[in-house]
Amino acid sequence: MWQHTGKRGISVSTAIRDERLVTIKEIVCDILEIEEDEVTEVSLFKEDHNADSLRAIEILAALEKEFKVVINQSELPRMVNLEGVYAVVSESAGW
C-alpha cells in the first residue's frame, strides 16, 4: 500500500497512529491518576499501576466517547496495557 510521507519521511499513517496512542495514553494516565512517564506500552495497568476493574470500565467509557466507537466489555481482558488498549480501539474503530 502506498503511503504519503511528510517532510521528515514519516508515513502519515504512522503519525496518525502515534497521535492516537498519545491520546489513549493521556486518557489512561488521567483515569489511573499517574504521570505519563510512569506508563509504557507494555506496563500492566493492574499489576504495575494498581488499577481496579472500575478504572478499567472508566477507561473503556472514556475511549468510546473520545473515539466515537462502541467497545464490548468482553474486550476488557485484552485491555491490560496501552498496547492492548490500542489494539481494541483500532479494531473497534476500523483503523
Side-chain angles (χ1 to χ4, degrees), residues 10 20 24 27 29 37 44-45 47 54-55 57 64-66 70 78 85 90 93-94:
I10 300 170
R20 290 172 177 155
I24 289 169
I27 289 169
C29 289
D37 61 355
L44 301 173
F45 300 150
E47 291 81 353
L54 181 58
R55 300 285 179 154
I57 292 170
E64 287 182 324
K65 184 177 180 181
E66 175 69 28
V70 175
R78 294 178 56 205
V85 170
S90 64

Side-chain angles (χ1 to χ4, degrees), residues 8-53:
R8 297 189 177 142
I10 300 170
S11 74
V12 173
S13 63
T14 300
I16 291 170
R17 180 190 187 280
D18 290 348
E19 186 178 307
R20 290 172 177 155
L21 205 50
V22 166
T23 302
I24 289 169
K25 186 173 186 176
E26 289 170 352
I27 289 169
V28 168
C29 289
D30 183 52
I31 291 170
L32 297 183
E33 299 176 358
I34 57 175
E35 297 298 319
E36 289 186 28
D37 61 355
E38 293 180 55
V39 66
T40 67
E41 284 194 36
V42 295
S43 62
L44 301 173
F45 300 150
K46 182 179 179 182
E47 291 81 353
D48 299 328
H49 306 294
N50 300 314
D52 59 18
S53 57

